[in-house]
Amino acid sequence: MDLDFNKNEDNMKQALNQLRNRFQKISLGGGIKSIDKQHEKNKQTARERLAYLLDDDASFLEIGAFAGYEMYEEYGGCPAGGTVAGIGYISGRQCVVLANDQTVKAGAWFPITGKKNLRMQEIAMENHLPVIYIVDSAGVFLPLQDEIFPDKEHFGRIFRNNAKISAMGLTQLSAVMGPCVAGGAYLPIMSDETLMVEGNGSIFLAGPYLVKAAIGENTDAETLGGALTHTSISGIADYRFKTEFECLDQIKKIMSTLGHQTQSAGFDRIKSKEPVKHPEEIYGLIPSDATKPYNMLEIIDRLVDAPGIQEYKEDYGKTIICGYARIDGWAVGIVANQRLIVKTKKGEVQLGGVIYNDSADKAARFIMNCNQKKIPLLFLQDVTGFMVGTRSEHSGIIKDGAKMVNAVANSVVPKFTIIVGNSYGAGNYAMCGKAYDPRIIFAWPGARIAVMGGDQAAKTLLQIQVASLQSKGKEIDPAEEKKLLDEIRNRYEKQTSPYYAAARLWVDGIIDPLDTRKIISEAIKAANNNPESTVFKTGVFQV
């Protein structure tokens, strides 16, 4: 019996139980009482609407489920960012769906809500997917209006994207099932078609109370901007329905009539094969201690189709694994951090998870090869950063690191990132972190994302604080210093958590490792919808 394997497996299962429990709470949105109020108004919740609309809930790839997690607590929180969103299928057509959650502050837009909606529109544009909006929102959350209203990546960018998506020839449908107020009123009207539900759906720039305050006119929501008004008087809306189910049925009908795409990106796919090793063994292979070494090739063998990965430059730059493989039949190029301590042919020892000159050089060349061959890239991150010290600096580690970052930044084939373990510092950038436009980026439960590891950061911050106090003539005894170190470490560790990252949409979500194959397959299928190909150029390349 392998005690380490069993310990790792237990640790992963506990982490997954925690993930499921937290998601279950998030899936209730504003809570049972708020859900009951929706039902009393003959309204379904956002998740109930999507469950009815989508072909198969099992194939729904939710994005941003943990957006807003433990944020805005002074306002009562914002579960899932007040929006349920993801990639799914309607009438057999893969599409992006977004549904306001009315149980969360009446569907009001928090700053993270805007960020999440922009992320979904970005996914639609990158992958040429239709977009379905289910609108039920009271508008901008006014106490935080300065954080969502005026800037480039704020609320107004959504309507700009509506226009851009339309110009790309991508279908957008909006089903208005509740209020749609102020600037938000532009979203459904900038969609191709607008559907409204009688009695609950309403669209107006200013509600009855604001109209009264502004011009002294007395009116009600239905007269001002209800379904009958907009389908028979203003002509703004295209369809009205007595129930939400009739409205959702119409969306299904419209989606079933969309013309079929005649071109694809052409990414190669053959019949899928099961991995050569049992995927569930991944649970026991990922160390519960993130500092311990393990063989990333063992993880890859449980993620990719048989016969496994065909390594590129296997004996060179060993701290990064590069190679060709298939996932659910799709051809992929894999760039992964090797966590074993390795020895070069020169006899030099290299630490696992660290990017050295040779591994950076190898990865940059492999990324260029995948662009040449039009093979999508999958990055498996467990990286502690680039090698430091005089030897590395004198060998030009920054130059070689710049090559890799350049290749990643300018790569034109779709990139997908899974954060398996550590994701620290410039290693996050070189291994296609969020700033480098991965089509999707997910984290496993043991992921850690920060500028550096917790111990190093805590000790560095402690030294700064102690030096500051000493400069003021204050001395700290060892016990007080240890207490200060523990406080700093605990605060920093919370910020490195995958939940902290998912709350801020640094990652699209936290997933069970066993779902990785399915998620990557769906993501490549989405990417294959976009036939537009850009010429790969790197500009000035450090040599």
Side-chain angles (χ1 to χ4, degrees), residues 83-100:
T83 306
V84 183
I87 303 171
Y89 293 83
I90 301 173
S91 299
R93 310 303 175 91
Q94 194 177 33
C95 58
V96 165
V97 291
L98 304 92
N100 295 123

Side-chain angles (χ1 to χ4, degrees), residues 18 38 41 48-49 85 136 144 174 201 228 247 249 259 298 337 365 370 383 467 499 510 521:
Q18 182 185 63
Q38 282 283 95
K41 298 175 185 176
E48 289 168 340
R49 289 163 175 167
D136 196 345
L144 297 173
S174 284
L228 184 61
C247 182
D249 284 338
E298 292 293 329
N337 301 109
R365 177 63 181 272
C370 287
V383 57
Y499 292 96
I510 306 166
S521 177

Side-chain angles (χ1 to χ4, degrees), residues 359-379:
S359 49
D361 183 70
K362 163 181 157 179
R365 177 63 181 272
F366 179 73
I367 290 165
M368 290 191 286
N369 282 347
C370 287
N371 277 272
Q372 183 83 347
K373 297 174 180 177
K374 293 184 172 54
I375 298 174
L377 284 159
L378 170 61
F379 292 83

Side-chain angles (χ1 to χ4, degrees), residues 287-459:
S288 52
D289 181 350
T291 65
K292 286 189 174 181
Y294 65 92
N295 190 347
M296 180 62 85
L297 282 169
E298 292 293 329
I299 303 299
I300 293 171
D301 280 343
R302 290 160 175 83
L303 290 178
V304 305
D305 295 8
I309 187 171
Q310 176 191 339
E311 281 197 69
Y312 171 80
K313 291 185 184 289
E314 181 179 353
D315 295 323
Y316 180 74
K318 293 181 180 180
T319 64
I320 289 184
I321 298 164
C322 296
Y324 303 101
R326 290 187 183 272
I327 291 182
D328 195 26
W330 292 104
V332 294
I334 293 177
V335 181
N337 301 109
Q338 174 59 282
R339 284 303 310 272
L340 291 177
I341 296 172
V342 299
K343 186 178 284 189
T344 70
K345 290 297 180 183
K346 294 179 180 179
E348 297 168 343
V349 173
Q350 294 184 338
L351 301 175
V354 178
I355 302 175
Y356 289 78
N357 298 74
D358 53 358
S359 49
D361 183 70
K362 163 181 157 179
R365 177 63 181 272
F366 179 73
I367 290 165
M368 290 191 286
N369 282 347
C370 287
N371 277 272
Q372 183 83 347
K373 297 174 180 177
K374 293 184 172 54
I375 298 174
L377 284 159
L378 170 61
F379 292 83
L380 299 175
Q381 284 197 15
D382 195 343
V383 57
T384 52
F386 285 85
M387 191 57 191
V388 296
T390 54
R391 184 172 183 177
S392 286
E393 297 291 359
H394 294 174
S395 298
I397 186 65
I398 299 174
K399 175 186 68 177
D400 290 324
K403 289 183 199 174
M404 186 173 174
V405 170
N406 190 324
V408 173
N410 285 302
S411 178
V412 296
V413 294
K415 297 167 291 192
F416 312 97
T417 302
I418 303 293
I419 302 177
V420 172
N422 303 304
S423 180
Y424 293 148
N428 170 281
Y429 304 157
M431 291 295 296
C432 197
K434 183 66 180 293
Y436 289 78
D437 301 318
R439 296 289 179 97
I440 60 158
I441 176 169
F442 282 96
W444 286 1
R448 288 290 180 270
I449 304 161
V451 73
M452 66 178 73
D455 281 340
Q456 301 97 310
K459 289 173 183 176

Side-chain angles (χ1 to χ4, degrees), residues 121-134:
Q121 289 182 320
E122 177 184 48
I123 289 171
M125 289 189 282
E126 285 179 333
N127 298 293
H128 284 204
L129 295 176
V131 191
I132 312 301
Y133 307 94
I134 298 179

